[in-house]
Amino acid sequence: MKIQSVNLSNTNVILTAYLLDSSPEMPNIKQRPAVLVLPGGGYRACSDREAEPVAMAFLAEGYQVFILRYSLNQHAVFPRPLNDAEEALTLIRANSADWSIDPQKVAVCGFSAGGHLAAALGTMGSTRPNAMILGYPCILEEMSDIFPAPVPGVDQEVDELTPPAFLFHTFDDRRVPVQNSLAFADALNRKNIPFEMHIFPTGTHGLSLARPLTSSGLQSMVEPVVAQWFGLCTRWVSSVFGEFPSSIEPVLDEEVHEYSLDVKLGLLWNNEQCKKLILDAIPELGETPHPDAMGVPLRTILSYDGDLLTEEEQKQLNDGLKTISVI
Amino acid sequence: MKIQSVNLSNTNVILTAYLLDSSPEMPNIKQRPAVLVLPGGGYRACSDREAEPVAMAFLAEGYQVFILRYSLNQHAVFPRPLNDAEEALTLIRANSADWSIDPQKVAVCGFSAGGHLAAALGTMGSTRPNAMILGYPCILEEMSDIFPAPVPGVDQEVDELTPPAFLFHTFDDRRVPVQNSLAFADALNRKNIPFEMHIFPTGTHGLSLARPLTSSGLQSMVEPVVAQWFGLCTRWVSSVFGEFPSSIEPVLDEEVHEYSLDVKLGLLWNNEQCKKLILDAIPELGETPHPDAMGVPLRTILSYDGDLLTEEEQKQLNDGLKTISVI
Amino acid sequence: MKIQSVNLSNTNVILTAYLLDSSPEMPNIKQRPAVLVLPGGGYRACSDREAEPVAMAFLAEGYQVFILRYSLNQHAVFPRPLNDAEEALTLIRANSADWSIDPQKVAVCGFSAGGHLAAALGTMGSTRPNAMILGYPCILEEMSDIFPAPVPGVDQEVDELTPPAFLFHTFDDRRVPVQNSLAFADALNRKNIPFEMHIFPTGTHGLSLARPLTSSGLQSMVEPVVAQWFGLCTRWVSSVFGEFPSSIEPVLDEEVHEYSLDVKLGLLWNNEQCKKLILDAIPELGETPHPDAMGVPLRTILSYDGDLLTEEEQKQLNDGLKTISVI
Amino acid sequence: MKIQSVNLSNTNVILTAYLLDSSPEMPNIKQRPAVLVLPGGGYRACSDREAEPVAMAFLAEGYQVFILRYSLNQHAVFPRPLNDAEEALTLIRANSADWSIDPQKVAVCGFSAGGHLAAALGTMGSTRPNAMILGYPCILEEMSDIFPAPVPGVDQEVDELTPPAFLFHTFDDRRVPVQNSLAFADALNRKNIPFEMHIFPTGTHGLSLARPLTSSGLQSMVEPVVAQWFGLCTRWVSSVFGEFPSSIEPVLDEEVHEYSLDVKLGLLWNNEQCKKLILDAIPELGETPHPDAMGVPLRTILSYDGDLLTEEEQKQLNDGLKTISVI
């Protein structure tokens, strides 16, 4: 994994990228979905409780994750925070090839005021995310009262370009009333934008993952019932973006420039000379190897079964394969 | 998060540390459990499929994680790999203060040949981990046949110092027979070392997380039933190491050197002068603030509720508090 | 378990009771919560798919369950179905002692049109349930269009006496639009009635448990994501009604009329003569038996450990205890 | 549901059958798997805690369930209890047509001493179950010490006819040591009989479902970690026996004796006269109705959508269909 921090245009606005490694052993993961996390804090802070722990939870799903620390306090005059989010999203898509991201699978995930910003990006952004995850979001214009500067009511802004949404909220949230999520759901429904929403009866505002991990040590911040949101959410994300591929058909689409142990068995098998050379060296493979093996480089197969060839024999076979010309 | 790579004594042996950040917002997480991951690969490779994806899954639990790429192939002559693991464990404990780790909560987690090494560390190590997580581990001496060099049968080595263990295996693993885990469980039981063990009927060798994420694209590497192991495992780890604290009693044990907005409300409340100054500025707090608030720095409380004080008023209050002497 | 069918006042209206057994081995379960199930079917049928399988799922939680087949078709003229439900609820509470039910823990659970009836009972009933479970409920007055007779819009009827509610719905339900649940949630919120609500994005109308079991064999009726509703629901019910008690303190509140093996150990221990007689016969028990044992009849303890006393010795001890007078 | 009690040959041996209803709405559930529950109690009692609550849990999965109260105390001289179990199994299979059971999908589920009996039935029975579920089973011959009469060590009896098994146990069970399950797993493995096994570290003997429901009110009988066994078990059972069918292809295999509203739409569609008559009455259906609808009787479709035909029109259409002769 690599971690990169990028200063965006506005003062003190930082995008931190958590980028998982690619590996030849994981050929099914060339492009990953990405999640842009917007922590909450009333446009006065970006809570650490809604930043790294949330990022880690999405990384465990195999997604590339970004945390945006956006414009706050006197700088939080709309649309400045929205511009920060637009800039972050544009940067993620612009670098998607380098960062192994599918540019059409970028979700935004915001909490509280960060949920307002996420919903604003999804409804008003000059560029839009492909999915929105909104935790106890501020939605209504009247939430402006607790912010340093007025914000638009994003329930008023839902349009045909708004991406699908996942929302969760607690009924007894006294800081950001559940009416916020209900109003946004209603607005999505009117525009026929699909959504999943979970309203739990009990839990204070700002629960983040609702686990001891994000509790600041406070019992009131641990709600096992609400903590179910994250599992529900990842299931939703994979229904929207799809799972990482795992079909029995090995992926044999790349072009071969030179035969060697590092070429997938299925591609070597397509060449009769290669096949003969390999079978002479490793008769155990048999005429029709297991389909699973066809998508794996021969070297990997050998590494799993050390009895097949000695290192010296591997070297010989590799040299032999290299002499066979690719048509 | 920080990522650090450390070269250990032996050639090509690298320990990669994934270290989560501390935060004043998470005062209950000063020391974290740690997991030392040992990927499998027949002592001939360290599989990427059992490295970073597993590390991410444990990071999402809030643990510090380390991946050890230990001695392989001609270097895998015992006890050399064991020495690598001992060195890694020693290093982790030696740096536990810097790395926010509880040195008595370090688990080792190994798969296949890495499971052999993990079990060796737990039973034969000159220093021992506090818990062992063993995925389809090689245990029996006869597994030496598929390794580059002979290894001891670790079922023979279980002693009174062996830490508790979590094991999982599939019945129809043809590469590393289930007899390996059964024999180790039996040996643990004879020495009265507690363990949890899950044997699933179906699944090939080397499943890692058994999810599309770690499938290399092969259908045979996705087994939702087996994928339950990780949830079972984290539940076990937290029963062994305990959860992150989250009691309603705020933690008020630190020493105060200077009063300011950055001091926890409960500590400020213990000083009558501070209390008076604060109540004059923020009568909304009331004589007896909510217990949850007592363990939180006053500045954090103010950041959640921007209506309480303007930035200017915050500065004034902070200056006022600083003039009050700590007895 | 006993099954009883009761004909209610209106033609063809039948209440079927599924009543779990009490047992001296389960002294913590004297009164059970109850669930009154109202299957859906457009007030034209009561679907078997939303009847027995749902009843079984609640019985597995230890609840007494009732299925009401209410007035349909030409008989479904409001308030006749409501009267059926009121009569059923009254009957359940009137028989609560006989049927081992806590009369203050009776939930109603309805699906589709049955959800309309459940919500009507909760908002308009002359007697009210203690909780409502509403699956893809018809709520709005405009749903009258698909019913044999007009019904009131129950979102208009929420009042202060309305009990807490659990709702689930799918966004793309074309038969009963999600707007029904959203409107009811909004009405509950305005009256500050607590609720839990789950809206899933995908799934046809009438999913029942959304499992193969209730699928009628149709793939479209199996939705693993939606099937999560039942686990969420039972968790909600136990948060509303509480779990069955399981404290370490044995329940020792009953009055003893005669000492014998059938009296709880803790109550025998309170009498010095009994205690002495028992310790003479079974010294293994020790002066201070495990607290768990104190709430269990002595005969049960003996049944678990057949080595303690022969049957003949048990008889003797029993006879001896009976001679000791209860003060 | 029907409940039936049958007295078997031996004194006081009773088989109680819990038989779920069939329904034309659930045409995919004609034959159900069955579970024969054998409660524990040291061959001195059959614990209620391991009887009805367990039966309910399996009924919720859609299985037919039987509880056998087998020979106890002085009657528990082997092989008498085994004969009881054999007789029960034979009876279940003999009545499988009447009781809607697939005779090749009958599992036995026993706890403690009942687990011994279940394992004896699976390894020594003159007739065998199709799967074994063993909760903290007594396996070893040495367990005879706590029984009223000696029993065979069933680990010695595993043979090629032994069905697959699911086992769970706790490491710190002091009454029936975990060695019992380990020995049985080892014996199964030697004969290559597939099994799933879960050993949890913590929990007293006799946990049943390990939930408050089966706790007798004792805190020590509630172990959320161990309570996972039941979900793991039902997942295993459905992997062994298969799920209830739910393919998009409607089942159209039955013979039609007379056309009517009670015939499946797909079968009506196969007859051009029927199709024409229906389309004239209900043009909304269209030439090619949704595949899901093809397996459902036309009357059911009409019951879901009351706007299609009035009752009078339904009657007319039904009469019309009846006049069309089945070729």
Side-chain angles (χ1 to χ4, degrees), chain B residues 279-327:
Chain B
L279 277 177
D280 286 351
I282 326 169
E284 293 92 329
L285 279 182
E287 271 291 319
T288 52
H290 192 279
D292 284 6
M294 288 310 215
V296 181
L298 180 50
R299 194 187 298 279
T300 305
I301 296 169
L302 296 172
S303 79
Y304 281 128
D305 193 344
D307 287 344
L308 292 176
L309 292 186
T310 64
E311 293 202 23
E312 183 50 36
E313 289 165 343
Q314 288 195 27
K315 197 178 168 313
Q316 274 181 16
L317 179 56
N318 195 41
D319 292 345
L321 289 168
K322 287 188 174 187
T323 65
I324 298 171
S325 68
V326 181
I327 305 123

Side-chain angles (χ1 to χ4, degrees), chain C residues 1 21 23 25 28-29 44 47-48 52 61 175 211-213 216-217 219-220 246-247 292 304-306, chain D residues 1 3 21 23 25 28-29 44 47-48 52 61 175 211-213 216-217 219-220 246-247 292 304-305:
Chain C
M1 192 169 80
D21 292 340
S23 162
E25 283 187 64
N28 61 326
I29 306 192
R44 287 188 169 84
S47 169
D48 290 344
E52 200 177 82
E61 298 298 309
R175 191 120 192 83
R211 299 177 54 184
L213 181 63
S216 300
Q219 190 62 48
S220 59
S246 61
S247 69
D292 284 5
Y304 280 129
D305 193 342
Chain D
M1 192 169 79
I3 301 176
D21 291 341
S23 162
E25 283 188 64
N28 60 326
I29 306 193
R44 286 188 168 85
S47 170
D48 289 345
E52 200 176 82
E61 298 299 308
R175 193 121 192 82
R211 300 176 54 183
L213 180 63
S216 301
Q219 190 62 48
S220 59
S246 61
S247 69
D292 284 4
Y304 280 129
D305 193 342

